[in-house]
Amino acid sequence: MVADTAPSGAMSRVYALSDGNSFYASCERVFDPSLIDRPVVVLSNNDGCVVARTPEAKAMGVPMGAPWFEIRESYLRAGGLVRSSNYALYGDMSRRVNAIYDQYADEVEVYSIDESFLDLTLAPAPEQHARQMRETVLRWTGIPTCVGLGPTRVLAKAANHLAKKRPEFDGVCDLSDPERRMTLLASMEVADVWGVGRALSARLAANGVHTAADLAALQPKSARQILTVMGERIVLELQGVHCSALEVTAPARKGVAVTRSFGRPVSTLAEMEQAVRTHAVRAGEKLRRHGRAAPQIVVFYFTSRHRDGPQRSVSGVETFPVATSDSLALSAAAGRLARRLWKPGYLYTKAGVMLDGLISPTDAALDLWHQPDPRRGELMRAMDAVNQRFGRHALAPAGVTYQRPWGLKQDMRSPRWTTCLAEVPIAKA
DNA sequence: TCTGGGGTCCTAGGACCC
DNA sequence: TCTGGGGTCCTAGGACCC
């Protein structure tokens, strides 16, 4: 039996999932018309692998996640175009798109840089409403989107998947109607259901579950046996039973990590120390932006499995007397850990700083012997304000430099068209 | 030369306690 | 003769997501 509303007569809702098509690549196209109708890929940090592809690049057979060094030659030879990722641009475009969603929906949950859940329950004709919204987003920002509609978030996600894959939907798919829903879910592989990855779909296949409709037809109890509570929730939501609401206000951060591959391998302690101290300062900025404090810091670094030579992977932790978001304290601790863990004779390729178990600074355990210096808070606020005004690298603690030979590769980054005054486009008469 | 970065949630199992 | 059992807390690791 298929339940179509939440129990006890609760009002059934209409959720939408709207996302930008090939979002990063679409952002690049908005400001560079020479990319229109051409194959374009956008690369991950460090120009490592492909993270976004225009339909033309997909048609050339470039797989998602393809290592750039592997496809580079043949891709460029075939006329493909490429950009390093430009997060300043994508983040700003995302903000603009969400500002439009806000005008069309009662509530918006920003789920990721290119996806938002919308509550369209009060819209008289949700599908029409979604089509109008889609047109407005395209006209005002230049970003093409697809929208999926359904009574639960899992169904809205599934509908969005169908809207993207099936041109006949023209960018909007509605799974509100139970009969139509079962027909369409039967055409969808179970691995394409939100929350079902490689491991779970293998487990499901062993139980004869191959399509999204098969999964929706399971008894929630058997789903729980096969997939634990997550699976039970997915099945209920596929059946139209509302289990998860929108998270309109972002929940407090639990962890923060800053990790980077090096532009080239690092073999000296001086460089390693500088790298992790720089990561720690960035982590401190994130902590303060989210209003959190870290009780401890973890530093790690390792060599690459993809390289010959001796391998080494280490990590160490230092606990603070009082949870902190002070960049100077974080950086000093990171430096100590880097030294403590150091062993020469290796080509290290990646290092990172992780802060977990974050708390609110006001909950930081008060310690009679370790009273935080109030001037440190002032200093951090001043530093953040200066960097906000004059750019991220304007002011940094000693021992942290942004002239890093070990830093990122991003040789093909487009200008920060919308967020950096020196790089805004100039219209010619 | 060369394979991203940053999150969340859940579970199993060990430590510890009474 | 005979050597408990149940609860809680924490952590590591797996799985998933974009």
Side-chain angles (χ1 to χ4, degrees):
Chain A
M1 146 160 178
V2 173
D4 199 41
T5 54
S8 67
M11 181 174 56
S12 100
R13 312 206 69 88
V14 180
Y15 291 119
L17 178 71
S18 185
D19 77 339
N21 303 344
S22 319
F23 183 65
Y24 297 171
S26 295
C27 291
E28 297 290 346
R29 275 181 171 169
V30 170
F31 293 93
D32 185 351
S34 73
L35 304 181
I36 292 169
D37 294 330
R38 301 283 305 277
V40 182
V41 299
V42 178
L43 303 179
S44 66
N45 262 324
N46 226 19
D47 291 345
C49 57
V50 173
V51 293
R53 309 158 293 160
T54 60
E56 296 79 7
K58 288 176 195 171
M60 284 172 63
V62 177
M64 189 65 172
W68 174 236
F69 78 93
E70 268 180 17
I71 64 160
R72 176 190 180 128
E73 204 188 319
S74 62
Y75 176 74
L76 293 177
R77 186 150 19 88
L81 302 170
V82 58
R83 291 289 180 272
S84 302
S85 39
N86 181 351
Y87 287 101
L89 175 64
Y90 312 148
D92 187 58
M93 293 303 285
S94 172
R95 194 185 50 72
R96 293 168 190 227
V97 170
N98 277 294
I100 298 170
Y101 294 158
D102 270 328
Q103 298 184 15
Y104 278 83
D106 302 306
E107 294 193 306
V108 176
E109 171 188 341
V110 180
Y111 177 70
S112 74
I113 195 166
D114 73 325
E115 282 178 66
S116 291
F117 284 101
L118 282 55
D119 190 333
L120 298 187
T121 304
L122 297 180
E127 190 177 328
Q128 272 315 106
H129 194 72
R131 290 194 186 280
Q132 275 178 27
M133 178 177 81
R134 191 169 172 260
E135 267 175 49
T136 305
V137 171
L138 183 62
R139 199 164 49 230
W140 291 4
T141 69
I143 301 292
T145 54
C146 282
V147 188
L149 297 155
T152 65
R153 295 162 88 226
V154 169
L155 282 169
K157 264 291 236 189
N160 174 270
H161 175 82
L162 293 162
K164 264 188 294 200
K165 293 278 152 142
R166 309 260 289 256
E168 65 268 30
F169 290 128
D170 196 22
V172 179
C173 173
D174 186 356
L175 288 180
S176 296
D177 177 72
E179 263 181 51
R180 182 161 188 260
R181 180 192 309 162
M182 286 316 277
T183 314
L184 287 170
L185 290 184
S187 72
M188 198 172 144
E189 283 178 38
V190 77
D192 292 328
V193 173
W194 191 32
V196 178
R198 280 234 317 267
L200 298 192
S201 51
R203 224 180 290 170
L204 285 166
N207 284 270
V209 176
H210 303 285
T211 69
D214 294 342
L215 185 59
L218 278 186
Q219 292 294 330
K221 271 189 188 160
S222 12
R224 189 178 189 132
Q225 276 167 9
I226 304 171
L227 308 175
T228 78
V229 295
M230 297 303 290
E232 183 178 29
R233 234 173 281 163
I234 293 169
V235 166
L236 284 167
E237 289 238 331
L238 278 178
Q239 296 174 351
V241 179
H242 174 85
C243 301
S244 62
L246 293 200
E247 285 182 347
V248 178
T249 53
R253 266 305 183 74
K254 299 183 171 170
V256 153
V258 178
T259 68
R260 290 285 182 283
S261 296
F262 297 122
R264 59 156 173 77
V266 159
S267 58
T268 69
L269 175 56
E271 282 188 331
M272 180 63 78
E273 198 178 325
Q274 196 182 90
V276 297
R277 288 177 68 123
T278 305
H279 295 344
V281 168
R282 291 242 48 219
E285 289 166 7
K286 285 195 197 182
L287 279 182
R288 296 191 293 279
R289 185 153 25 96
H290 290 281
R292 307 294 276 170
Q296 58 176 36
I297 179 171
V298 174
V299 163
F300 71 85
Y301 45 83
F302 52 74
T303 55
S304 168
R305 308 177 300 286
H306 305 294
R307 274 170 175 277
D308 294 334
Q311 302 283 313
R312 185 161 186 260
S313 172
V314 285
S315 74
V317 55
E318 186 173 313
T319 301
F320 299 110
V322 177
T324 187
S325 64
D326 184 305
S327 283
L328 300 180
L330 293 165
S331 168
R336 280 190 296 274
L337 284 163
R339 289 196 295 276
R340 206 184 84 202
L341 299 167
W342 183 254
K343 211 167 143 187
Y346 297 90
L347 295 172
Y348 296 102
T349 56
K350 183 170 177 172
V353 161
M354 294 194 297
L355 309 172
D356 236 322
L358 305 186
I359 60 176
S360 158
T362 53
D363 293 340
L366 290 181
D367 182 324
L368 189 58
W369 312 112
H370 296 99
Q371 293 293 330
D373 182 349
R375 290 174 306 177
R376 273 301 185 80
E378 291 298 323
L379 177 59
M380 288 302 120
R381 272 189 286 283
M383 207 170 81
D384 290 338
V386 167
N387 287 334
Q388 165 90 28
R389 175 115 163 66
F390 298 103
R392 184 191 279 164
H393 303 166
L395 195 53
V400 170
T401 161
Y402 288 91
Q403 296 162 343
R404 326 163 260 181
W406 40 266
L408 280 187
K409 274 198 306 190
Q410 40 177 20
D411 301 335
M412 299 158 290
R413 204 203 72 212
S414 52
R416 289 163 290 186
W417 302 111
T418 64
T419 57
C420 181
L421 204 51
E423 298 179 15
V424 295
I426 295 165
K428 292 183 185 146

